[in-house]
Amino acid sequence: QVQLAESGGGLVLAGGSLRLACVASRRTFPTFGTGWFRQAPGKEREFVAYISGSGDITNYAESVKGRFAISRENAKNTVYLQMNSLKPEDTALYYCAGSPKKGYYRDGKAYDYWGQGTQVTVSS
């Protein structure tokens, strides 16, 4: 089993930045793709970003394109989500998830592993 743990959330003003990290408890072979999802109170969980195991492929939700950037450092078993130009509507509990079924990385049901989440709150 692989455990994932998120960190880096907090309270920021609109227009500010945060960097989230997702650390895996151990390396996997091969290195699995990783997604970021978020869920706000009263709303359904939504896809935010994805990065392949090698880092060669990334995908973003339209709502965060140009503002967020996903990256990884496999030597540290870590995936990052750099969030810039934050808006109040970005406020949510952010989760990382690993090992999706091929071609279904935007669907949370396709992932094998999940972290506990880190809270991001953006005030205006």
Side-chain angles (χ1 to χ4, degrees), residues 6-84:
E6 305 94 335
S7 63
L11 174 64
V12 297
L13 295 173
S17 298
L18 286 172
R19 188 179 72 162
L20 307 184
C22 171
V23 181
S25 61
R26 64 176 178 85
R27 292 189 298 117
T28 59
F29 183 79
T31 303
F32 53 64
T34 306
W36 283 97
F37 293 79
R38 66 188 183 187
Q39 187 166 24
K43 295 185 178 181
E44 294 185 348
R45 181 178 60 198
E46 67 172 331
F47 168 79
V48 176
Y50 168 82
I51 187 166
S52 63
S54 67
D56 290 344
I57 301 170
T58 58
N59 291 94
Y60 299 91
E62 286 294 328
S63 61
V64 306
K65 283 183 178 178
R67 299 190 298 122
F68 291 10
I70 190 169
S71 62
R72 67 191 310 149
E73 294 185 48
N74 286 340
K76 295 182 178 180
N77 301 329
T78 302
V79 174
Y80 302 98
L81 184 68
Q82 178 67 46
M83 306 185 295
N84 300 320

Side-chain angles (χ1 to χ4, degrees), residues 89-111:
E89 51 262 45
D90 294 317
T91 295
L93 187 64
Y94 283 69
Y95 300 91
C96 65
S99 192
K101 297 176 183 176
K102 186 176 181 180
Y104 293 87
Y105 57 82
R106 287 177 175 263
D107 183 0
K109 297 183 181 66
Y111 287 79

